[in-house]
Amino acid sequence: MKRISLIFWLSLIASFAAHAENKEPETIFWYTGNFPPIHFVDGPYKNKGSGDIRREILIRYMPEFRHEIVTAAPGRTYETLRTQPNACNASMLKTPERAAALEYSEPFLQILPNGLITTRARLGLFKPFMNKQGELKLDAFLGAGKYHLGIIEGRSFGTGIDVTLKNAANKASLVAVPSSDHFQSRLLKLIHQDEYEAIVGYATEMVYVSRDLGVEKDVVFLPVIEEPRLVPSYVACSKSELGKRIIAAINRALANPETQREVDAAYRNWLDKDSGARFEL
C-alpha cells in the first residue's frame, strides 16, 4: 500500500513538473511610439534609438518572458499601461499621477531635462537671462515681454518648465505650434522664420533632427534654471501582480553594471559636446 502511495505521489509530482515545463511563458507587451532619437519605429534607425536599445537590453536579460512590441501614440500607451495587466514602456518619466497608476522600476538613467533650443545667431538675446553656469532663467526671459517661445500644447516638458509656462505673466509670449512630428517643424520655423526666438525640447532631439537636416552647427541647447541638472528616467509597467513581477525582473537586470554601461552609452551617443559634458559631471 505504501509503495502504491509513493508511486502515486511521484507520478503526480512528475505530472506537475511536465505541466510547468510545457506552460507558455507570460507575455510582456512593450508599448513604444515614434519619438526620435529615443524610439524609431521605421526608417534606417528603426529600433536603434536609445530607448529601443534599452528595451532590447532588458529583453535579453528576461528570457523567462515572451516579448511583443506594440507601436502606439503616447496617450494610448499610458491608457493601456493603466488598464491592462502586462504592458510596459521602456522610457517614462515619473509624475505623482503616473506613480499612483503604474509600477515603476528603479531609475535606470539620469537624463538631461528639457531646455531651450535657439540658433547661435540669436544667442546674444539670451545672455542677459543666463547665470554664470550657463543656465537660462526662463521666467525672466518670458517676463521680458518681447520674446516668443514655440511650444506644443498638451506636452509635458518637466515640472519646472510646465509650472513656469503655466504662470507666465505674458501668455502672448507662448506660441503654440501644430506639429505632427513634435520637433522638426518647430526647428525649421525657428531657423527660417521670426515667429519665435526659441523652442522647448531635449538636447537629444536637437542633435538628431539638426544632424538630419544638416544644421547641427546652427543651433544650441540652453539648460534652464527651473529644471534640475538631471532627471531620472524609468521603465513603467501595469500596476498588477504580473506587473510587479516584471518590474522585479527589470530591477535585477538594471543592477548589472554592464547593463548600466550599455544604457548610458546608448543615450550619450545622441548628445552634443556641451550637453555631453553636463551629463558626465
Side-chain angles (χ1 to χ4, degrees), residues 52-113:
D52 299 322
I53 293 172
R54 183 181 315 134
R55 182 190 63 232
E56 295 307 309
I57 291 169
L58 293 174
I59 288 174
R60 191 172 75 223
Y61 279 96
M62 299 165 64
E64 68 271 31
F65 295 97
R66 180 173 170 268
H67 302 269
E68 288 196 18
I69 299 169
V70 182
T71 302
R76 182 189 165 201
T77 293
Y78 178 62
E79 186 61 23
T80 304
L81 264 65
R82 280 198 330 108
T83 57
Q84 299 299 317
N86 58 343
C88 293
N89 179 273
S91 311
M92 189 166 282
L93 299 181
K94 196 173 187 178
T95 66
E97 178 190 11
R98 291 174 178 178
L102 307 176
E103 295 287 344
Y104 275 85
S105 70
E106 293 296 319
F108 61 81
L109 181 66
Q110 298 286 332
I111 67 172
L112 295 172

Side-chain angles (χ1 to χ4, degrees), residues 235-251:
V235 180
C237 295
S238 308
K239 189 175 276 294
S240 64
E241 287 304 314
L242 176 55
K244 289 179 181 178
R245 285 191 279 116
I246 294 171
I247 289 295
I250 288 170
N251 285 338

Side-chain angles (χ1 to χ4, degrees), residues 2-184:
K2 289 182 178 179
R3 179 177 176 78
I4 293 173
S5 177
L6 179 61
I7 292 173
F8 170 77
W9 284 111
L10 288 174
S11 298
L12 189 61
I13 291 170
S15 176
F16 278 130
H19 178 73
E21 288 178 2
N22 293 328
K23 185 181 178 182
E24 285 289 324
E26 292 168 306
T27 300
I28 302 173
F29 291 96
W30 292 95
Y31 277 76
T32 184
N34 193 41
F35 190 51
I38 300 173
H39 294 290
F40 294 92
V41 299
D42 53 29
Y45 290 109
K46 183 177 179 179
N47 293 329
K48 294 180 181 179
S50 59
D52 299 322
I53 293 172
R54 183 181 315 134
R55 182 190 63 232
E56 295 307 309
I57 291 169
L58 293 174
I59 288 174
R60 191 172 75 223
Y61 279 96
M62 299 165 64
E64 68 271 31
F65 295 97
R66 180 173 170 268
H67 302 269
E68 288 196 18
I69 299 169
V70 182
T71 302
R76 182 189 165 201
T77 293
Y78 178 62
E79 186 61 23
T80 304
L81 264 65
R82 280 198 330 108
T83 57
Q84 299 299 317
N86 58 343
C88 293
N89 179 273
S91 311
M92 189 166 282
L93 299 181
K94 196 173 187 178
T95 66
E97 178 190 11
R98 291 174 178 178
L102 307 176
E103 295 287 344
Y104 275 85
S105 70
E106 293 296 319
F108 61 81
L109 181 66
Q110 298 286 332
I111 67 172
L112 295 172
N114 280 286
L116 260 60
I117 293 151
T118 189
T119 59
R120 292 192 182 276
R122 291 187 177 99
L123 197 53
L125 302 176
F126 297 85
K127 294 292 186 181
F129 308 101
M130 296 173 70
N131 63 17
K132 293 180 179 179
Q133 289 73 44
E135 299 167 323
L136 180 80
K137 300 174 184 177
L138 180 57
D139 66 338
F141 173 75
L142 295 175
K146 55 183 178 179
Y147 304 115
H148 298 86
L149 186 63
I151 63 169
I152 295 176
E153 287 186 326
R155 173 172 164 179
S156 175
F157 295 105
T159 304
I161 292 178
D162 287 349
V163 170
T164 304
L165 297 183
K166 182 179 179 180
N167 296 335
N170 180 20
K171 295 297 182 183
S173 63
L174 305 179
V175 180
V177 185
S179 176
S180 60
D181 56 35
H182 298 292
F183 192 88
Q184 183 167 309

